[in-house]
Amino acid sequence: PGVPVTESHPQYSFVNNLLTGIQNSSLMAKGVCKSQPKDKKPIKSDETEIYTTSCLSATSPTDITYNLTEYAPTLFIHLRRLFSIKNKDYIESLRPQEENNINNTNIELNNNNINLSENNNNINYSVFTKQSDGKSGSQFFYTKNGHFIIKSISNEEFSCFKSNLFSYYSHSLSHPSSFLIPILGLYSLTPLPSSSPSPSLPPSPIHLLTMINLKPPPTYTITEICDLKGSTAGRSYESDTGDKTKILKDVDFQRLNKKLLFSREYRERFVEGIGNDVKWLEGVGVMDYSLLVMVGRGEGEVGRGGVRSEGGEEVYWMGVIDWMQPYNWRKMLENRYKKFWEQEDALSCVAPDKYASRFLDACIYASR
């Protein structure tokens, strides 16, 4: 279950600072876009476009205040339009807590769905938080309507994505059938020196992004979740002690003889779309991404990212996640070390060209 970030939550001030900064920056960028010609490109590949905005003042002497920096805000406005997300809906979903009062409500997160039930308690919150079940240690903040996720990312992921922003925009524009989970904003939150716990040390920024939450409509029940990379070393929920869930991984998927039962027509679209994504991911030098698949049953519209199986009994919600890890010196050392214990073909940590080829093969095999 997710934990609502209420006034008693230790991250209450952090979240309000973050959401206030996003609000301010989004409104600034919206004004800039309105003043531009409709045919103006959002940003050139050699331009730097950054907005920095002050966030909330400290609500108590122990609180930390921050400056929020948004990178390429007008580019992301164009991306959100491309992904059929209205800027108004984005801003409304990310309102700070003071402007989002929900009374007599109980919140629970199950399989990325939000369940709201009436209660006698008054709860005032904007987002709820959940720690990553995997090894990344990322923290996730879900908007109360379940539409968007704010995710913390590492310095490596931040630098990689920031340097490839225009390339990502171009890829999304050229390939509307992309399976990459859409990224909607990139931010850094830096503590103000006067409020930092160690004023003598340079403040360390916290990097975050916003993305679409891949979730089924409430009329569906998730029966399985799969995470496929194409590697086998440690790729089972039984062998991975760091995984607290029973998400089926590559070894489990093969052991249980699972298949994604696409129609012939959709399978062709799937292979083509994944192939285009993999070509781009290899080109920007990243690896360690995976195909997240949620399998569900139910009735009604399948929603964003959903497709019915050939027989119509199941629905799949899919997207490529965690696609910002560069193959840098740290990953090269990890590869050399792990090759003492495993065959390289089994490792997740391999060079981008090998990773891309193997990942595509795994996706094709899973959809046969």
Side-chain angles (χ1 to χ4, degrees):
V3 178
V5 182
T6 61
E7 290 186 24
S8 60
H9 195 280
Q11 291 183 301
Y12 169 77
S13 179
F14 171 83
V15 166
N16 269 12
N17 272 268
L18 172 61
L19 297 182
T20 299
I22 291 176
Q23 287 282 301
N24 293 344
S25 182
S26 296
L27 291 170
M28 290 166 59
K30 182 180 178 182
V32 170
C33 275
K34 279 188 174 181
S35 65
Q36 292 177 347
K38 291 185 178 180
D39 59 349
K40 177 177 171 58
K41 290 186 178 181
I43 191 173
K44 295 179 181 178
S45 58
D46 59 348
E47 285 181 344
T48 300
E49 182 195 31
I50 296 174
Y51 289 174
T52 299
T53 178
S54 296
C55 303
L56 288 179
S57 299
T59 55
S60 77
T62 58
D63 284 337
I64 301 173
T65 52
Y66 301 81
N67 271 343
L68 180 131
T69 301
E70 180 176 8
Y71 299 89
T74 56
L75 180 145
F76 279 110
I77 285 181
H78 283 263
L79 275 172
R80 293 195 288 270
R81 289 174 182 167
L82 185 63
F83 300 138
S84 301
I85 295 171
K86 295 180 180 179
N87 205 52
K88 179 182 177 182
D89 294 339
Y90 182 73
I91 294 174
E92 288 289 331
S93 298
L94 295 166
R95 279 195 182 279
Q97 181 166 325
E98 285 83 1
E99 302 179 51
N100 266 334
N101 295 317
I102 291 188
N103 297 322
N104 304 320
T105 306
N106 191 22
I107 306 102
E108 186 178 0
L109 174 67
N110 286 315
N111 294 330
N112 289 336
N113 286 318
I114 301 175
N115 301 320
L116 303 175
S117 59
E118 290 193 358
N119 184 302
N120 291 325
N121 299 321
N122 291 335
I123 297 179
N124 182 16
Y125 79 107
S126 293
V127 299
F128 53 98
T129 183
K130 189 172 184 283
Q131 197 73 23
S132 170
D133 292 318
K135 296 177 180 179
S136 68
S138 295
Q139 189 162 15
F140 294 82
F141 297 96
Y142 295 80
T143 59
K144 66 180 176 64
N145 59 16
H147 294 171
F148 308 115
I149 297 173
I150 305 171
K151 177 189 175 184
S152 64
I153 57 175
S154 68
N155 291 338
E156 292 177 344
E157 292 171 311
F158 167 77
S159 298
C160 178
F161 186 47
K162 182 173 175 288
S163 64
N164 289 293
L165 278 177
F166 188 78
S167 179
Y168 171 61
Y169 169 78
S170 299
H171 175 75
S172 301
L173 191 63
S174 302
H175 300 93
S177 60
S178 170
F179 285 88
L180 301 180
I181 292 292
I183 305 302
L184 309 175
L186 181 65
Y187 308 91
S188 291
L189 207 58
T190 306
L192 296 175
S194 59
S195 64
S196 175
S198 303
S200 60
L201 299 176
S204 298
I206 301 165
H207 304 302
L208 307 110
L209 57 81
T210 52
M211 61 185 184
I212 288 177
N213 184 17
L214 187 67
K215 73 180 187 73
T219 55
Y220 287 85
T221 301
I222 296 298
T223 57
E224 288 178 333
I225 301 178
C226 310
D227 183 279
L228 305 177
K229 289 186 174 183
S231 55
T232 55
R235 294 296 295 164
S236 167
Y237 67 78
E238 294 178 344
S239 64
D240 188 352
T241 57
D243 190 352
K244 301 175 184 178
T245 67
K246 287 194 174 181
I247 296 176
L248 299 183
K249 299 185 179 179
D250 297 82
V251 173
D252 310 307
F253 199 83
Q254 295 174 18
R255 174 173 53 85
L256 298 173
N257 197 29
K258 295 287 183 180
K259 294 292 180 183
L260 302 177
L261 303 177
F262 297 147
S263 67
R264 180 176 180 179
E265 179 185 357
Y266 186 82
R267 183 178 180 273
E268 291 177 357
R269 290 169 52 194
F270 173 74
V271 172
E272 180 182 2
I274 288 289
N276 290 330
D277 289 336
V278 163
K279 183 177 180 180
W280 180 77
L281 293 168
E282 179 185 349
V284 297
V286 297
M287 36 73 70
D288 214 19
Y289 41 88
S290 59
L291 178 69
L292 177 68
V293 182
M294 291 187 284
V295 185
R297 293 173 180 264
E299 297 180 352
E301 295 293 328
V302 299
R304 181 189 289 270
V307 60
R308 287 199 176 275
S309 63
E310 187 171 24
E313 295 181 359
E314 295 181 327
V315 176
Y316 309 117
W317 292 270
M318 301 172 293
V320 178
I321 61 172
D322 299 336
W323 45 266
M324 299 181 189
Q325 176 58 56
Y327 190 62
N328 52 20
W329 65 268
R330 184 176 65 84
K331 287 295 182 179
M332 293 177 187
L333 288 177
E334 181 182 339
N335 174 275
R336 290 189 179 186
Y337 173 76
K338 288 186 174 180
K339 280 194 293 188
F340 284 108
W341 316 104
E342 298 279 357
Q343 293 291 324
E344 186 174 29
D345 289 344
L347 299 177
S348 296
C349 185
V350 295
D353 57 339
K354 293 182 180 179
Y355 194 97
S357 175
R358 188 178 61 189
F359 177 77
L360 181 58
D361 287 345
C363 290
I364 293 173
Y365 176 82
S367 63
R368 283 178 177 170

Short mmCIF file of all heavy atoms in Angstrom, two decimals, residues 22 37 56 68 85 88 91 105 107 115 134 139 157-158 167 183 192 194 232 244 257 277 291 315 320 331 354:
data_model
loop_
_atom_site.label_atom_id
_atom_site.label_comp_id
_atom_site.label_asym_id
_atom_site.label_seq_id
_atom_site.Cartn_x
_atom_site.Cartn_y
_atom_site.Cartn_z
N ILE A 22 6.74 22.92 -9.06
CA ILE A 22 6.21 22.43 -10.33
C ILE A 22 5.06 23.31 -10.80
O ILE A 22 4.95 23.64 -11.99
CB ILE A 22 5.76 20.96 -10.20
CG1 ILE A 22 6.98 20.05 -10.00
CG2 ILE A 22 4.97 20.52 -11.43
CD1 ILE A 22 6.64 18.59 -9.77
N PRO A 37 4.51 31.45 -31.67
CA PRO A 37 3.74 30.95 -32.82
C PRO A 37 3.48 29.45 -32.69
O PRO A 37 4.30 28.73 -32.13
CB PRO A 37 4.67 31.23 -34.01
CG PRO A 37 5.62 32.28 -33.53
CD PRO A 37 5.78 32.06 -32.05
N LEU A 56 8.10 26.83 -1.40
CA LEU A 56 7.49 27.31 -0.17
C LEU A 56 8.53 27.78 0.83
O LEU A 56 9.64 27.27 0.88
CB LEU A 56 6.66 26.19 0.47
CG LEU A 56 5.35 25.80 -0.20
CD1 LEU A 56 4.72 24.66 0.57
CD2 LEU A 56 4.41 26.99 -0.24
N LEU A 68 13.46 24.92 -7.02
CA LEU A 68 13.18 23.90 -8.02
C LEU A 68 13.60 24.39 -9.39
O LEU A 68 13.29 25.52 -9.78
CB LEU A 68 11.69 23.53 -8.03
CG LEU A 68 11.35 22.46 -9.08
CD1 LEU A 68 10.51 21.35 -8.46
CD2 LEU A 68 10.62 23.07 -10.27
N ILE A 85 -2.06 14.79 -23.22
CA ILE A 85 -2.25 15.22 -21.83
C ILE A 85 -2.38 16.73 -21.81
O ILE A 85 -1.47 17.45 -22.23
CB ILE A 85 -1.07 14.77 -20.94
CG1 ILE A 85 -1.03 13.25 -20.88
CG2 ILE A 85 -1.17 15.37 -19.55
CD1 ILE A 85 0.22 12.71 -20.23
N LYS A 88 -3.54 21.70 -18.33
CA LYS A 88 -4.40 22.00 -17.19
C LYS A 88 -4.56 20.77 -16.29
O LYS A 88 -4.49 20.88 -15.06
CB LYS A 88 -5.78 22.46 -17.68
CG LYS A 88 -6.76 22.76 -16.56
CD LYS A 88 -8.12 23.17 -17.10
CE LYS A 88 -9.11 23.41 -15.97
NZ LYS A 88 -10.45 23.78 -16.49
N ILE A 91 -1.28 20.19 -14.34
CA ILE A 91 -1.11 21.13 -13.24
C ILE A 91 -2.09 20.83 -12.11
O ILE A 91 -1.71 20.84 -10.93
CB ILE A 91 -1.29 22.59 -13.75
CG1 ILE A 91 -0.15 22.94 -14.72
CG2 ILE A 91 -1.31 23.57 -12.59
CD1 ILE A 91 -0.31 24.29 -15.39
N THR A 105 -12.00 10.24 3.63
CA THR A 105 -11.53 9.33 2.59
C THR A 105 -10.41 8.45 3.11
O THR A 105 -9.56 8.90 3.86
CB THR A 105 -11.01 10.12 1.38
OG1 THR A 105 -12.03 11.01 0.95
CG2 THR A 105 -10.65 9.19 0.24
N ILE A 107 -7.31 5.87 1.74
CA ILE A 107 -6.55 5.66 0.51
C ILE A 107 -5.76 4.37 0.60
O ILE A 107 -5.12 4.07 1.60
CB ILE A 107 -5.57 6.82 0.27
CG1 ILE A 107 -6.32 8.15 0.29
CG2 ILE A 107 -4.86 6.68 -1.05
CD1 ILE A 107 -6.17 8.88 1.56
N ASN A 115 -7.79 3.03 -4.53
CA ASN A 115 -9.12 2.75 -4.02
C ASN A 115 -9.46 3.78 -2.96
O ASN A 115 -8.71 3.98 -2.02
CB ASN A 115 -9.18 1.35 -3.40
CG ASN A 115 -8.83 0.28 -4.42
OD1 ASN A 115 -9.24 0.38 -5.56
ND2 ASN A 115 -8.07 -0.72 -4.00
N GLY A 134 12.21 -2.77 -6.24
CA GLY A 134 13.41 -3.32 -6.85
C GLY A 134 14.68 -2.85 -6.17
O GLY A 134 14.67 -2.39 -5.03
N GLN A 139 12.30 6.47 -5.13
CA GLN A 139 11.07 6.74 -4.42
C GLN A 139 10.02 7.24 -5.40
O GLN A 139 10.33 8.00 -6.32
CB GLN A 139 11.28 7.77 -3.31
CG GLN A 139 10.07 7.91 -2.40
CD GLN A 139 10.40 8.58 -1.09
OE1 GLN A 139 11.46 9.19 -0.95
NE2 GLN A 139 9.50 8.48 -0.13
N GLU A 157 21.35 8.77 -14.18
CA GLU A 157 20.15 8.78 -15.01
C GLU A 157 19.78 10.21 -15.41
O GLU A 157 19.39 10.46 -16.56
CB GLU A 157 18.99 8.14 -14.25
CG GLU A 157 19.16 6.65 -14.01
CD GLU A 157 18.11 6.10 -13.08
OE1 GLU A 157 17.90 6.69 -12.00
OE2 GLU A 157 17.50 5.07 -13.42
N PHE A 158 19.89 11.13 -14.46
CA PHE A 158 19.57 12.52 -14.74
C PHE A 158 20.45 13.08 -15.84
O PHE A 158 19.97 13.68 -16.81
CB PHE A 158 19.72 13.35 -13.46
CG PHE A 158 19.71 14.83 -13.69
CD1 PHE A 158 18.51 15.50 -13.93
CD2 PHE A 158 20.89 15.55 -13.67
CE1 PHE A 158 18.51 16.87 -14.16
CE2 PHE A 158 20.89 16.92 -13.90
CZ PHE A 158 19.69 17.58 -14.14
N SER A 167 16.68 14.51 -28.42
CA SER A 167 16.62 13.23 -29.13
C SER A 167 15.38 12.45 -28.72
O SER A 167 14.71 11.83 -29.55
CB SER A 167 17.88 12.42 -28.83
OG SER A 167 17.85 11.17 -29.49
N ILE A 183 7.70 10.28 -20.48
CA ILE A 183 8.24 11.18 -19.45
C ILE A 183 7.66 12.57 -19.70
O ILE A 183 7.68 13.07 -20.83
CB ILE A 183 9.78 11.22 -19.50
CG1 ILE A 183 10.35 9.81 -19.38
CG2 ILE A 183 10.31 12.11 -18.36
CD1 ILE A 183 9.96 9.05 -18.15
N LEU A 192 17.97 25.20 -0.12
CA LEU A 192 18.59 26.51 0.05
C LEU A 192 19.67 26.42 1.12
O LEU A 192 19.46 25.78 2.15
CB LEU A 192 17.54 27.54 0.44
CG LEU A 192 16.45 27.81 -0.61
CD1 LEU A 192 15.41 28.76 -0.06
CD2 LEU A 192 17.06 28.36 -1.88
N SER A 194 20.73 28.29 3.44
CA SER A 194 20.37 28.74 4.78
C SER A 194 19.52 27.74 5.54
O SER A 194 19.45 27.77 6.77
CB SER A 194 19.61 30.07 4.70
OG SER A 194 18.44 29.91 3.92
N THR A 232 18.99 -13.70 -17.62
CA THR A 232 18.53 -14.78 -16.73
C THR A 232 19.17 -14.75 -15.35
O THR A 232 18.61 -15.29 -14.41
CB THR A 232 18.79 -16.15 -17.37
OG1 THR A 232 20.18 -16.26 -17.71
CG2 THR A 232 17.95 -16.32 -18.64
N LYS A 244 10.83 -7.58 -3.22
CA LYS A 244 9.86 -7.90 -2.18
C LYS A 244 8.51 -8.32 -2.76
O LYS A 244 7.58 -8.63 -2.02
CB LYS A 244 9.67 -6.68 -1.26
CG LYS A 244 10.95 -6.23 -0.59
CD LYS A 244 10.72 -4.97 0.21
CE LYS A 244 12.02 -4.45 0.80
NZ LYS A 244 11.83 -3.18 1.56
N ASN A 257 6.01 -21.05 -18.87
CA ASN A 257 5.60 -21.09 -20.28
C ASN A 257 4.55 -20.02 -20.58
O ASN A 257 3.52 -20.29 -21.23
CB ASN A 257 5.06 -22.48 -20.63
CG ASN A 257 5.02 -22.71 -22.14
OD1 ASN A 257 5.82 -22.14 -22.89
ND2 ASN A 257 4.08 -23.53 -22.59
N ASP A 277 12.05 1.50 -30.72
CA ASP A 277 12.50 1.97 -29.42
C ASP A 277 13.90 1.45 -29.09
O ASP A 277 14.77 2.19 -28.60
CB ASP A 277 11.52 1.53 -28.32
CG ASP A 277 10.20 2.26 -28.39
OD1 ASP A 277 10.16 3.38 -28.93
OD2 ASP A 277 9.20 1.71 -27.89
N LEU A 291 10.67 -4.46 -20.05
CA LEU A 291 9.28 -4.35 -20.49
C LEU A 291 8.39 -4.73 -19.31
O LEU A 291 8.42 -5.89 -18.86
CB LEU A 291 9.01 -5.26 -21.68
CG LEU A 291 7.56 -5.26 -22.19
CD1 LEU A 291 7.23 -3.92 -22.85
CD2 LEU A 291 7.32 -6.41 -23.18
N VAL A 315 -6.30 -8.69 -20.71
CA VAL A 315 -5.85 -7.41 -21.24
C VAL A 315 -4.43 -7.19 -20.74
O VAL A 315 -4.10 -7.51 -19.58
CB VAL A 315 -6.76 -6.25 -20.78
CG1 VAL A 315 -6.22 -4.91 -21.26
CG2 VAL A 315 -8.19 -6.45 -21.29
N VAL A 320 7.93 0.20 -21.71
CA VAL A 320 9.36 0.03 -21.40
C VAL A 320 9.72 1.03 -20.31
O VAL A 320 9.49 2.24 -20.46
CB VAL A 320 10.23 0.25 -22.65
CG1 VAL A 320 11.72 0.13 -22.31
CG2 VAL A 320 9.85 -0.74 -23.75
N LYS A 331 29.25 0.55 -14.74
CA LYS A 331 28.58 -0.62 -15.30
C LYS A 331 29.57 -1.55 -16.00
O LYS A 331 29.40 -2.77 -16.01
CB LYS A 331 27.48 -0.18 -16.26
CG LYS A 331 26.26 0.40 -15.57
CD LYS A 331 25.57 -0.67 -14.73
CE LYS A 331 24.32 -0.16 -14.05
NZ LYS A 331 23.65 -1.23 -13.25
N LYS A 354 24.58 -5.24 -27.24
CA LYS A 354 24.20 -6.59 -26.84
C LYS A 354 22.87 -6.60 -26.10
O LYS A 354 22.03 -7.47 -26.29
CB LYS A 354 25.30 -7.22 -25.96
CG LYS A 354 26.59 -7.49 -26.67
CD LYS A 354 27.61 -8.14 -25.74
CE LYS A 354 28.92 -8.42 -26.46
NZ LYS A 354 29.92 -9.03 -25.54
#
